[in-house]
Amino acid sequence: MEIFVHRTSSQTPYRNPSQDSPSTQNQRHLTQRELADRWNKSEATIERYRSDGVGPRFLKIGGAVRYRLEDIEAFERECLYDNPHTRCAASASQSPSSILQGVNV
């Protein structure tokens, strides 16, 4: 006996990201490789940053590491400088950029 399953359009197994709403697209998560490409660093460097507690916050879901785009952008803003002596973001005593100064980037 064969069983036929009728699949409606709402049950499509593939989701096309181009059809997402703008609010869904803003929730994008980057892989370690994508973050390494964005920063022009090796994946090993991104792994080291994560193990040293440097860099943006990350998610670990089922063993897979993902970075929320909003966390990456917030970290990048905190590391932004107007000139060598003044940082653009409000400084905290242990800001991400001050931590990075001690790490070989």
Side-chain angles (χ1 to χ4, degrees):
M1 172 170 46
E2 292 183 48
I3 299 174
F4 294 97
V5 176
H6 177 70
R7 189 179 298 262
T8 65
S9 61
S10 65
Q11 296 173 326
T12 306
Y14 173 74
R15 181 184 56 77
N16 185 347
S18 65
Q19 295 175 341
D20 289 347
S21 68
S23 62
T24 306
Q25 289 177 353
N26 289 339
Q27 297 298 320
R28 174 130 164 75
H29 295 79
L30 274 64
T31 64
Q32 178 176 287
R33 171 80 258 157
E34 292 169 325
L35 181 57
D37 288 343
R38 178 183 177 109
W39 287 353
N40 196 28
K41 301 287 181 191
S42 71
E43 285 189 70
T45 298
I46 301 301
E47 285 179 22
R48 190 179 74 243
Y49 286 172
R50 191 172 58 249
S51 85
D52 291 346
V54 176
R57 294 169 38 182
F58 63 93
L59 299 166
K60 197 160 190 182
I61 302 172
V65 174
R66 297 291 182 266
Y67 295 89
R68 295 186 315 173
L69 186 56
E70 66 190 60
D71 293 329
I72 294 167
E73 291 172 343
F75 180 79
E76 290 171 344
R77 278 189 302 276
E78 291 174 7
C79 294
L80 189 61
Y81 283 79
D82 280 329
N83 62 57
H85 306 291
T86 60
R87 202 170 70 230
C88 293
S91 64
S93 62
Q94 188 70 352
S95 68
S97 57
S98 66
I99 294 170
L100 275 178
Q101 290 173 0
V103 176
N104 293 331
V105 191

